[in-house]
Amino acid sequence: MSIDLSQFIPTFLEECFEGIELMEASLLNLEQGDEETINSIFRAAHSIKGGAGTFGFNHVTEFTHLVETLLDEMRDGRRNIAHKDIEILLDSVDCMRLLIEAIRDDCSYDDSKVIVTSQLLTATLNNNSIDENIVEDTTKDNENTSNAIADDNLTHWSISFIPEHHLVQTGNDPLLLLNALAELGKVSVTANCNSIPSLVDLDATELYISWQITLITAAKKEDIAEIFEWVEDDCQLVISNEESIDKKPAEINLDIANEADELITEKPTIEAKTKVKPNVTNDSSLQKPKAESGSIRVGVDKVDSLINLVGELVITQSMLSELGNDFELSKVARLNSGLEQLLQNTKELQESVMRIRMLPISFAFNRFPRLIHDLSKKMGKEIELLISGEQTELDKSVMEQISDPLVHLVRNAVDHGIEATDVRITNGKPEKGTVSLDAYHQGGSIVIEIKDDGGGIDSNVILAKAIENGLVDESTSLSESQVYDLLFEPGFSTAKTLSDISGRGVGMDVVKRNIQSLGGRIQIESTLGVGSTFKVFLPLTLAILDGQLVKVGREVYIIPLITIVESLQTQEALINRTSGDMVLYRLREDNVPVIPIYKLFNIPAQNKAIKNSLLVVVEADGQKVGLMVDDLLAQQQVVVKSLNENYQQVEGVSGATILGDGSVAMILDVPSMINMALKLAKKQQQNNIVAEEVIH
Amino acid sequence: MDIQTLANEIPVEGEYALEGVDFISSGEQYLTFSLGLEQYAVNILAVEEIRSWEQPTHIPNAPMFVKGVINMRGVIVPIIDLRLKFGIGEAKYDKTTVVVVLTAQHLTKSRTMGFVVDAVSDVLNAQENDIKPAPAFGGSLAQHYIEGIVNVAENVVTLLDVTALQTIEKQSDNY
């Protein structure tokens, strides 16, 4: 009997990602080193390997096998857990993620990183202490090569490498040897395929090829011999010095010098890769085609409570239908109580279903220990990450969209916030910088705090920069928070030099836009010399919002309750008309511009006079406006439906909802309405200018 | 009504068969409808349902031919008056005015929209070689909406491309 395995692949991939995350988190904790952690890492790797084997993802199996072997050695105590090994393992975890993602998205991946890492893994495995040697060797080689440039001491080596047929069966890969040679200098290789037998006699497990290699390097014979150390017994190896090149053509010299440079900068050891790593995380977080994960894991308790509620609903339904079978007026009281029960049930059911979409924010926070680990290494800053409130629950779709802005904010905190270690010491701060992440509920929203104990934000620097960029006038005086808001202006960067950690990719303006598109806002608090706090306020869920139903003409609109400051009836005395038909309403100290919805949306209205009309004062982006409506209706929770799905984005409207009577009502998008009103005003001004010109 | 009378009510095959429809033929089937005096048709596989006209909810600053949105079993469906979009006939709403709800693929996702027409008439069966390209000159209707024309008796039916019908030009800033 054959089972179609493909149906299990999504589950397998999900388990892989879980395993990979677990491995990463444990590896970061491994630095203290305890057995239980290694065991759990090993188990995760093992189950990924096993699963991949079952589904025939052989490249994953092969790669994971290397990782597993290394872990096994650590587990058995045959290998000390060195810092280097952890770095290699972290890289391997990255590679595994790359491989699994490639399977999930069914696309190709950049295999150079995988090859490099697996080579490194093999090298590490081949000798318990080889990792030391590799580093030493390469440094030695580099010294040698650099010496060579100085001493003009390059040598032509001619190497004849004739492996025994069974070489590959011992687990050695000739290609790895050749690659290792290439790292020593300039290599040209000729393969001799003469001894390959006809297909009938060919044994796929045997190796029939031999190689003739010319190597131009400064390395000594011992260095070359060392590469072949593991195959020495299984091959005929002749290493001979062709000639010493004392007078070589200048171009070769240049060539080699370049290569030597490359060797130094791209020293294929750990440093080189740590340089690659942050970029990779960059790319994958920003440019990867967004594969929204189609499934979520739900706790059994949540499902149980759903089943209970549905059970109650069924009981209520049967009660009501029994009541309806022979209804008479005397039973009205029972009908009413039944309906009330139904209301209660549906409400609870709705809440429970919503709760299924909620995930603890640790899903978003989990990537930060690794990020901080990599960043601190790269920046040479010692940083401690404190995470709290990771159990705070957040809607899944909000979480997916907030993760990238959060990464940006954390990167900023490390790059711009925390000062260099020497600066910190001179300022009398602890050497280790602290970045803390916190999440908690506040009112109807979730607050995520990113806090650093760095230098704080110098508002004078920002102001100077803003004036330089022409964002503000020199004469305007701005409050502190207004100055901080300048950070979110497009094209504003105070980074003195653009580093590849921040100052590239998404800017703060994109961060703010992302947060706003989720219906949230961001706030900065900062004290110079003490640190800064970025607070992100997010709605609990995107699918449901509390709305105020208003009527304009024949249409019903919904204003999100969260934006409403107050509703009032206008008094004639407080209405002011200024600067050409702009209407301002005096609300205590403020002058609030009045926007009649009927004018903005081009619809007929019952009441066009501002006098004695109803005004809903709303606030967005710190700007208050009064929306003029015909009537205020009920307040209720509405389910947000997208207009985009079958139509397109409509200006001034964030979505639609279905009301109790089955009709559709538009949900107003206050910031976008303010924009519309501004555009409308600008257009009128332009028309006036044109008109003036015509007159003149 | 007993079973016998019910059985008698069932039409004998061919008795009420729709004119022009051959159920075993391999050609495509099209739903024809009228706009003013003209006959149009869309691929019947795209037709989700045919509804009677109801007043939709207005979309702010939408083009004239977008009448608004309705709630179709929990899905928000925009309603487009084809008579206004094509400038054919008179946009009046009475008992025979119907909305043809069409679903079509747009790249990766499908989109559902309702189109107001004067009346739906028939199901038309057209073989591939019955469909002729529309003459390039003349009509006010943009070419990209037209899949081809088919002769039905003395009349000409224009086949419309559903995906093109559903494509909405960027909402204009003119308000």
Side-chain angles (χ1 to χ4, degrees):
Chain A
M1 192 180 79
S2 74
I3 303 169
D4 180 18
L5 283 177
S6 62
Q7 57 176 314
F8 301 116
I9 289 181
T11 323
F12 161 67
L13 293 178
E14 229 166 83
E15 278 176 9
C16 280
F17 285 121
E18 268 172 36
I20 287 170
E21 255 163 46
L22 183 110
M23 285 175 74
E24 190 169 57
S26 313
L27 278 169
L28 290 170
N29 287 330
L30 194 62
E31 289 167 33
Q32 293 89 346
D34 69 296
E35 205 169 317
E36 191 37 53
T37 324
I38 300 176
N39 275 335
S40 68
I41 302 172
F42 178 80
R43 277 195 299 270
H46 186 74
S47 49
I48 292 174
K49 182 183 120 177
T54 316
F55 293 106
F57 300 128
N58 286 334
H59 54 299
V60 181
T61 320
E62 278 162 28
F63 187 84
T64 317
H65 178 72
L66 294 173
V67 180
E68 197 196 51
T69 319
L70 185 63
L71 284 166
D72 195 31
E73 284 182 7
M74 290 181 172
R75 193 172 63 146
D76 294 354
R78 271 182 284 152
R79 171 184 290 273
N80 288 328
I81 302 162
H83 196 64
K84 280 190 232 51
D85 296 340
I86 292 179
E87 290 299 328
I88 293 173
L89 285 171
L90 278 174
D91 278 339
S92 316
V93 169
D94 283 345
C95 291
M96 282 160 71
R97 183 174 292 136
L98 205 67
L99 293 171
I100 305 284
E101 275 171 1
I103 293 170
R104 181 192 63 192
D105 303 340
D106 200 17
C107 63
S108 59
Y109 57 94
D110 175 23
D111 59 353
S112 62
K113 186 173 162 68
V114 179
I115 289 170
V116 169
T117 315
S118 59
Q119 274 171 12
L120 215 73
L121 275 170
T122 330
T124 317
L125 281 170
N126 277 347
N127 189 339
N128 249 338
S129 55
I130 199 166
D131 39 0
E132 311 274 329
N133 288 343
I134 283 182
V135 178
E136 273 171 25
D137 279 351
T138 31
T139 40
K140 214 195 289 166
D141 292 341
N142 283 329
E143 275 162 28
N144 287 345
T145 359
S146 18
N147 286 345
I149 300 160
D151 299 345
D152 284 349
N153 195 17
L154 288 167
T155 325
H156 264 276
W157 294 99
S158 165
I159 305 160
S160 157
F161 173 43
I162 307 168
E164 298 283 329
H165 289 338
H166 64 260
L167 180 87
V168 283
Q169 290 165 16
T170 61
N172 288 297
D173 184 348
L175 194 60
L176 293 180
L177 299 169
L178 296 178
N179 282 334
L181 279 178
E183 280 167 17
L184 290 181
K186 203 177 169 81
V187 170
S188 61
V189 184
T190 321
N192 179 1
C193 311
N194 290 343
S195 51
I196 297 181
S198 65
L199 198 58
V200 190
D201 305 320
L202 187 114
D203 183 345
T205 61
E206 304 245 299
L207 181 66
Y208 302 100
I209 311 170
S210 57
W211 287 272
Q212 189 64 42
I213 305 152
T214 330
L215 173 67
I216 309 171
T217 177
K220 298 190 194 68
K221 189 171 178 178
E222 299 90 275
D223 297 330
I224 300 168
E226 197 175 305
I227 289 174
F228 292 98
E229 197 176 338
W230 306 103
V231 293
E232 236 166 19
D233 301 335
D234 302 313
C235 71
Q236 295 168 30
L237 186 68
V238 183
I239 305 173
S240 59
N241 184 354
E242 262 186 17
E243 54 183 321
S244 210
I245 25 173
D246 294 328
K247 282 182 268 163
K248 62 218 158 304
E251 46 184 331
I252 291 184
N253 188 7
L254 207 71
D255 216 20
I256 294 162
N258 284 344
E259 204 138 333
D261 271 348
E262 260 171 51
L263 261 178
I264 292 160
T265 46
E266 282 194 327
K267 205 171 7 158
T269 49
I270 299 143
E271 282 99 310
K273 271 185 288 61
T274 41
K275 200 154 87 193
V276 172
K277 227 174 341 186
N279 294 354
V280 169
T281 36
N282 251 352
D283 294 348
S284 62
S285 62
L286 297 174
Q287 287 159 14
K288 175 177 61 183
K290 253 294 188 295
E292 297 241 333
S293 38
S295 65
I296 41 177
R297 293 202 152 206
V298 181
V300 180
D301 54 327
K302 286 180 179 170
V303 178
D304 281 347
S305 89
L306 265 185
I307 291 172
N308 281 339
L309 282 170
V310 172
E312 277 178 46
L313 199 62
V314 170
I315 295 169
T316 314
Q317 183 270 331
S318 63
M319 185 194 94
L320 282 174
S321 64
E322 194 189 324
L323 202 62
N325 272 345
D326 52 341
F327 186 73
E328 40 194 80
L329 272 178
S330 61
K331 291 179 178 167
V332 163
R334 273 183 62 202
L335 177 69
N336 271 337
S337 75
L339 286 174
E340 210 157 279
Q341 205 173 323
L342 187 67
L343 178 79
Q344 197 64 32
N345 289 154
T346 37
K347 224 178 207 169
E348 279 174 27
L349 193 63
Q350 190 189 33
E351 271 170 25
S352 303
V353 172
M354 287 328 248
R355 224 175 295 140
I356 284 187
R357 284 189 63 88
M358 304 292 258
L359 293 173
I361 201 160
S362 54
F363 280 83
F365 279 1
N366 275 347
R367 61 204 277 198
F368 291 115
R370 176 70 191 278
L371 185 75
I372 294 282
H373 173 93
D374 290 349
L375 284 179
S376 59
K377 198 169 188 103
K378 189 175 155 49
M379 307 281 304
K381 296 175 180 174
E382 264 194 82
I383 290 157
E384 195 179 356
L385 178 68
L386 299 175
I387 293 182
S388 49
E390 62 263 57
Q391 286 308 315
T392 315
E393 289 194 330
L394 190 59
D395 188 282
K396 183 171 177 279
S397 47
V398 180
M399 182 114 58
E400 274 164 3
Q401 292 173 60
I402 198 64
S403 219
D404 286 346
L406 280 186
V407 168
H408 189 77
L409 289 173
V410 170
R411 263 195 213 135
N412 262 344
V414 174
D415 195 15
H416 303 313
I418 306 280
E419 317 92 319
T421 317
D422 46 338
V423 180
R424 287 184 71 87
I425 294 169
T426 31
N427 289 349
K429 284 187 180 179
E431 211 172 301
K432 216 174 193 179
T434 310
V435 174
S436 55
L437 285 170
D438 194 7
Y440 51 89
H441 288 262
Q442 195 180 69
S445 48
I446 289 215
V447 186
I448 303 171
E449 261 186 32
I450 299 107
K451 195 169 171 181
D452 64 70
D453 68 342
I457 301 169
D458 191 342
S459 47
N460 290 331
V461 173
I462 295 173
L463 204 56
K465 182 91 182 179
I467 291 167
E468 188 191 313
N469 287 0
L471 287 172
V472 286
D473 235 3
E474 210 159 325
S475 52
T476 44
S477 69
L478 295 169
S479 72
E480 191 132 280
S481 70
Q482 280 173 316
V483 173
Y484 293 154
D485 278 345
L486 289 172
L487 285 175
F488 299 113
E489 290 294 320
F492 189 93
S493 174
T494 51
K496 291 180 186 93
T497 51
L498 288 186
S499 65
D500 63 345
I501 293 181
S502 50
R504 205 181 64 153
V506 288
M508 287 295 261
D509 56 320
V510 181
V511 170
K512 184 171 190 184
R513 211 174 327 129
N514 282 355
I515 291 169
Q516 275 178 344
S517 72
L518 290 170
R521 64 199 166 88
I522 181 164
Q523 183 186 320
I524 305 178
E525 289 161 17
S526 175
T527 318
L528 203 59
V530 178
S532 341
T533 308
F534 287 74
K535 279 187 182 174
V536 179
F537 295 80
L538 291 172
L540 275 178
T541 173
L542 296 180
I544 285 192
L545 62 82
D546 285 305
Q548 166 74 55
L549 275 60
V550 297
K551 197 162 187 157
V552 180
R554 276 185 323 195
E555 307 288 334
V556 174
Y557 292 105
I558 291 153
I559 304 176
L561 216 50
I562 198 161
T563 62
I564 299 181
V565 181
E566 62 181 285
S567 305
L568 50 90
Q569 184 147 35
T570 53
Q571 292 167 27
E572 199 174 358
L574 299 174
I575 302 169
N576 294 301
R577 286 174 191 274
T578 50
S579 36
D581 210 22
M582 180 171 71
V583 183
L584 292 175
Y585 190 78
R586 175 69 56 82
L587 185 69
R588 291 177 289 275
E589 297 300 301
D590 286 342
N591 279 319
V592 180
V594 174
I595 303 177
I597 292 181
Y598 76 90
K599 238 186 208 172
L600 206 59
F601 285 175
N602 257 330
I603 50 170
Q606 291 164 356
N607 175 22
K608 296 194 174 181
I610 295 167
K611 192 174 78 175
N612 285 335
S613 64
L614 286 165
L615 212 56
V616 180
V617 181
V618 292
E619 185 172 359
D621 292 340
Q623 168 77 52
K624 274 186 198 150
V625 294
L627 300 175
M628 201 181 101
V629 301
D630 284 349
D631 200 1
L632 287 172
L633 308 173
Q635 276 179 16
Q636 69 176 66
Q637 279 201 330
V638 295
V639 179
V640 182
K641 304 218 170 214
S642 151
L643 278 177
N644 239 343
E645 207 169 301
N646 289 321
Y647 187 59
Q648 61 183 12
Q649 203 60 48
V650 178
E651 220 183 351
V653 169
S654 62
T657 191
I658 294 163
L659 298 177
D661 62 356
S663 66
V664 182
M666 299 285 159
I667 301 167
L668 300 183
D669 180 358
V670 174
S672 150
M673 285 176 80
I674 293 175
N675 261 336
M676 278 171 84
L678 286 176
K679 261 198 258 176
L680 201 62
K682 226 172 236 168
K683 205 163 187 175
Q684 272 170 2
Q685 285 162 16
Q686 269 169 4
N687 287 347
N688 285 347
I689 292 168
V690 172
E692 273 171 37
E693 278 169 359
V694 170
I695 291 165
H696 287 141
Chain B
M1 199 186 283
D2 63 1
I3 291 174
Q4 192 50 50
T5 42
L6 261 180
N8 290 340
E9 295 263 281
I10 296 171
V12 181
E13 201 185 333
E15 201 177 345
Y16 293 100
L18 289 165
E19 230 174 290
V21 176
D22 181 357
F23 287 102
I24 44 170
S25 79
S26 60
E28 299 271 359
Q29 291 188 338
Y30 293 87
L31 177 76
T32 64
F33 53 84
S34 59
L35 300 175
L37 298 173
E38 300 173 11
Q39 292 287 318
Y40 291 87
V42 288
N43 194 320
I44 204 160
L45 295 177
V47 179
E48 193 88 0
E49 65 179 62
I50 300 168
R51 305 170 66 93
S52 57
W53 163 258
E54 57 178 305
Q55 183 66 42
T57 302
H58 175 256
I59 300 175
N61 300 308
M64 263 295 282
F65 55 82
V66 179
K67 300 307 290 178
V69 287
I70 58 161
N71 160 24
M72 192 178 94
R73 295 184 295 277
V75 182
I76 308 280
V77 177
I79 302 296
I80 286 162
D81 196 321
L82 271 191
R83 301 167 299 188
L84 291 174
K85 190 176 166 90
F86 291 165
I88 301 164
E90 190 188 341
K92 57 183 193 321
Y93 304 95
D94 53 32
K95 277 183 195 159
T96 61
T97 307
V98 286
V99 177
V100 182
V101 181
L102 302 175
T103 299
Q105 283 290 321
H106 289 257
L107 298 174
T108 52
K109 53 180 206 168
S110 74
R111 198 179 240 189
T112 305
M113 277 189 184
F115 294 90
V116 184
V117 299
D118 278 327
V120 288
S121 11
D122 215 340
V123 176
L124 160 78
N125 200 77
Q127 301 289 340
E128 209 171 312
N129 49 13
D130 292 340
I131 303 171
K132 305 279 187 308
F137 50 88
S140 61
L141 192 51
Q143 281 291 316
H144 69 274
Y145 292 123
I146 303 172
E147 253 178 35
I149 54 172
V150 178
N151 291 342
V152 177
E154 293 93 51
N155 299 323
V156 174
V157 174
T158 311
L159 304 184
L160 295 173
D161 178 13
V162 179
T163 312
L165 281 184
Q166 290 191 342
T167 309
I168 300 169
E169 296 73 30
K170 208 78 196 122
Q171 189 174 352
S172 65
D173 273 341
N174 300 320
Y175 46 79

